[in-house]
């Protein structure tokens, strides 16, 4: 290589270059720019290596690709448009290629060497610290392009520098559509979100992945050819995390934001359609086929989104009894669902009476949370329904029950049945049939269900064996209180009790016996 005169850049060009270099607030962002240049050249692989050149006292960052290299025309009119040629001293206009390439000067390199070849030509372009360059013809052919950036540093600083280079590449290039390797190890990661459920939609030139998320911490990212344009927290679509990869998106000149032009707005419309129209249907269909806790948690978030409910109201996803399924629309059509942890007698009896019983494992079940998110408040089936089951009656207690039935006949009661205790139920309720579910708040019918061990307590039972009329009257008074029958019913009861006592006087009680003192 022969020596050449190196002119100083014109002041206005030098100032423009300084501004362009200063726009890269992260000096190592030049790695992203070099990878982008490789992608633009059609490479199918990018190799990045970092090593230390002891002789130069520099770390060397090498970026090599297999894409179309550059000939003299491209070098002069694209790569070096912002720089002064040490051979010709020409200053040209700013070009798109050059703006990205100037980022290598953000690390204040001692030298930048570009080896490239195309159409039988092979060139080396050597950039000096003052941003002038030499263009040199190489004897050996070159495939693709290799850029080496020499950064002054001691060997002791190399480890951290290598780590920073790798982290920079991972951040900007992890979703690249071609393989990007660092020291021979691929850095590519799937184009996906860190979410247990996510939905992917692909259209012409655009790929979107969306997921329900915490509105405050929702992630979002924009990419072109897999290169990161911008990422952040606090999604512009509340409650939706998303990534959108589109060949139409661009970053701003300062590389700190995605360019919000018409292409950006088109991409966001694709994201909104994927999130609010396609994803809810996809999620509900999967819930119907293979429900998991993660899917139900995702559904709980989606059900809170305005306008989403009507699109999925008719898809049956909530388990009922006997392998039946309810949709949100089904559960909204009445007073709201009950829930049961298993298909027990009460659940089946209530369902037979028309109750909507869904199977969930309690309030911590994600299905319960999904119902609440949809505006439904499921209650335990036993909170709304009860199942009277007949209890055995001792023969000596039958006269008391018969007398009780006679006294309450004026209240429309035709039978009195002793039933097993039901938690939270009054000692006496009116029912239509034993073994049939009844609403707790609408219990009525010709049969009086008297809970064993409560209304028929031991003292009352003992009295009934001696004086059924008196015991029945006392018991009936309590029953009327449970039935909230009111004063007229009490007066009728007293009249009936007196009349029956005259008609059926009790047997003479035995005289009390006195125990002798010793």
């Amino acid at each position: 290589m022969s020596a050449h005169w190196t002119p100083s850049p014109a002041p206005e060009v030098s100032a423009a270059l300084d501004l362009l270099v200063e726009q890269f607030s992260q000096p190592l962002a030049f790695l992203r720019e070099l990878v982008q240049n490789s992608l633009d050249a059609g490479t199918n692989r990018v190799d990045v290596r970092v090593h230390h050149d002891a002789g130069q006292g520099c770390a060397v960052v090498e970026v090599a690709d297999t894409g179309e290299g550059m000939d003299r025309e491209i070098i002069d009119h694209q790569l070096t448009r912002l720089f002064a040629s040490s051979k010709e001293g020409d200053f040209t206009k700013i070009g798109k290629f050059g703006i990205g390439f100037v980022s290598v000067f953000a690390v204040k390199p001692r030298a930048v060497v570009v080896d490239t070849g195309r159409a039988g030509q092979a060139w080396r372009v050597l950039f000096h610290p003052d941003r002038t360059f030499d263009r040199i013809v190489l004897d050996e052919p070159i495939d693709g392009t290799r850029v080496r950036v020499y950064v002054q540093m001691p060997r002791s600083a190399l480890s951290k520098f290598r780590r920073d280079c790798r982290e920079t590449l991972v951040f900007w290039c992890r979703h690249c559509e071609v393989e990007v390797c660092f020291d021979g190890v691929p850095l590519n990661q799937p184009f996906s979100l860190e979410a247990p459920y996510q939905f992917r939609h692909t259209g012409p030139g655009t790929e979107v992945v969306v997921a329900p998320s915490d509105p405050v911490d929702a992630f979002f990212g924009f990419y072109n050819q897999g290169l990161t344009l911008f990422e952040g927290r606090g999604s512009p679509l509340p409650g939706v995390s998303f990534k959108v990869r589109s060949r139409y998106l661009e970053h701003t000149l300062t590389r700190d934001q995605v360019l919000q032009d018409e292409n950006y707005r088109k991409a966001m419309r694709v994201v909104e359609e994927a999130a609010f129209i396609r994803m809810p249907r996809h999620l509900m269909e999967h819930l119907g086929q293979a429900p998991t806790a993660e899917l139900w948690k995702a559904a709980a978030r989606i059900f809170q989104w305005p306008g989403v409910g009507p699109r999925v109201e008719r898809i049956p996803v909530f388990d009922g009894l006997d392998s039946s399924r309810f949709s949100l629309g089904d559960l909204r059509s009445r007073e709201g669902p009950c829930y049961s942890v298993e298909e027990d007698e009460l659940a089946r009896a209530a369902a037979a009476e028309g109750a909507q019983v869904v199977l969930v494992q309690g309030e911590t079940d994600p299905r319960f949370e999904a119902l609440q998110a949809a505006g439904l408040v499921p209650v335990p089936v036993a909170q709304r329904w009860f199942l009277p089951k007949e209890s055995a009656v001792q023969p000596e207690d039958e006269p008391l029950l018969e007398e009780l039935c006679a006294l309450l006949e004026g209240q429309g009661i035709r039978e009195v049945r002793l039933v097993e205790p039901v938690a939270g139920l009054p000692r006496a309720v009116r029912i239509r049939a034993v073994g049939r579910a009844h609403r707790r708040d609408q219990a009525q019918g010709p049969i009086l269900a008297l809970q064993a061990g409560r209304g028929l307590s031991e003292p009352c039972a003992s009295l009934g064996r001696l004086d059924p009329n008196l015991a029945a009257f006392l018991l009936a008074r309590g029953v009327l209180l449970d039935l909230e029958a009111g004063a007229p019913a009490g007066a009728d009861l007293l009249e009936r009790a007196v009349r029956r006592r005259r008609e059926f006087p009790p047997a003479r009680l035995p005289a009390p016996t006195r125990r002798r003192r010793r």
Side-chain angles (χ1 to χ4, degrees), residues 57 192 370:
S192 60

Side-chain angles (χ1 to χ4, degrees), residues 175 189-195 197-203 206-211 243-245 270 274-275 278-279 282:
H175 294 321
Q189 298 176 10
F191 188 68
S192 60
L193 294 163
E194 294 181 1
Y197 167 77
Q198 51 196 290
F199 173 72
R200 189 178 305 275
H201 172 64
T202 302
T206 301
E207 182 181 7
V208 169
V209 58
V210 292
K243 289 182 177 180
V244 53
R245 175 164 58 186
V270 175
R278 295 179 182 271
M279 180 169 63
H282 177 269

Side-chain angles (χ1 to χ4, degrees), residues 65-341:
D65 65 51
T66 60
E68 290 185 317
M70 293 175 279
D71 56 18
R72 173 70 182 267
E73 178 80 9
I74 297 173
I75 290 172
D76 288 350
H77 292 88
Q78 296 185 44
L79 179 65
T80 61
R81 288 181 71 103
L82 299 176
F83 304 93
S85 169
S86 60
K87 290 184 178 180
E88 300 164 4
D90 60 341
F91 299 99
T92 55
K93 297 179 181 179
I94 293 175
K96 181 178 178 182
F97 196 117
I99 291 177
F101 183 74
V102 299
S103 63
V104 297
F105 291 96
V107 291
K108 297 179 173 55
R110 284 186 58 183
V112 179
V113 180
V114 179
D115 291 340
T116 186
R118 183 172 184 170
Q121 300 181 26
W123 295 92
R124 171 169 292 172
V125 184
L126 173 60
F127 292 89
H128 303 287
D130 64 356
R131 301 166 193 164
T132 61
F133 70 90
D134 292 313
R135 188 191 315 103
I136 306 160
V137 178
L138 299 178
D139 297 330
E140 298 295 328
I142 298 290
D143 291 328
T145 298
R146 182 178 63 176
V147 179
R148 284 168 291 167
V149 181
Y150 290 79
V151 183
Q152 185 95 35
M153 73 174 58
R155 187 175 187 84
S156 59
L158 181 67
S159 178
K160 181 180 184 305
F161 182 70
R162 291 182 75 256
R163 184 169 61 252
D164 292 344
C165 287
R166 186 185 185 283
E167 290 176 356
T168 298
L169 281 167
V170 168
F171 177 78
W172 294 108
C173 308
R174 68 188 184 280
H175 294 321
C176 273
E177 298 168 359
V178 303
E179 190 172 68
V180 178
C181 297
F182 184 77
D183 286 346
V185 179
L187 301 180
N188 303 71
Q189 298 176 10
F191 188 68
S192 60
L193 294 163
E194 294 181 1
Y197 167 77
Q198 51 196 290
F199 173 72
R200 189 178 305 275
H201 172 64
T202 302
T206 301
E207 182 181 7
V208 169
V209 58
V210 292
S213 183
D214 183 339
V216 176
D217 198 40
F219 174 90
F220 67 101
F222 298 90
Y223 312 84
N224 185 321
Q225 299 184 82
L227 284 170
T228 302
L229 301 178
F230 186 76
E231 291 181 344
R233 294 283 179 180
S235 169
L237 301 180
V240 180
S241 285
F242 71 86
K243 289 182 177 180
V244 53
R245 175 164 58 186
S246 175
R247 65 185 183 211
Y248 306 112
L249 292 173
E250 297 184 56
H251 48 52
T252 58
L253 187 62
T254 55
R255 269 60 169 180
D256 61 356
Q257 183 56 275
V258 63
L259 186 63
Q260 298 191 19
D261 56 4
E262 182 56 32
N263 288 327
Y264 167 85
R265 289 185 283 274
K266 288 180 180 178
M268 287 304 299
R269 286 195 288 270
V270 175
V271 175
E272 290 176 11
E273 179 185 354
F276 300 126
I277 297 177
R278 295 179 182 271
M279 180 169 63
R281 290 200 296 261
H282 177 269
L283 174 59
M284 296 295 278
E285 289 167 0
H286 275 64
L287 278 174
Q289 297 166 5
T292 64
E294 289 75 15
L295 290 180
W296 280 115
K297 290 177 181 177
R301 293 189 184 278
I302 284 178
F303 290 161
Q304 298 178 60
W305 295 347
V308 169
R311 301 190 184 106
V312 298
E313 289 271 304
R314 297 303 168 189
I315 302 176
V317 293
F318 294 96
D319 291 333
L321 307 184
D322 298 322
S323 301
S324 61
R325 287 280 181 85
F326 294 106
S327 69
L328 282 175
D330 295 331
L331 300 177
R332 291 190 199 283
S333 62
R334 302 183 189 177
E335 63 183 338
C338 300
Y339 73 87
S340 178
V341 299

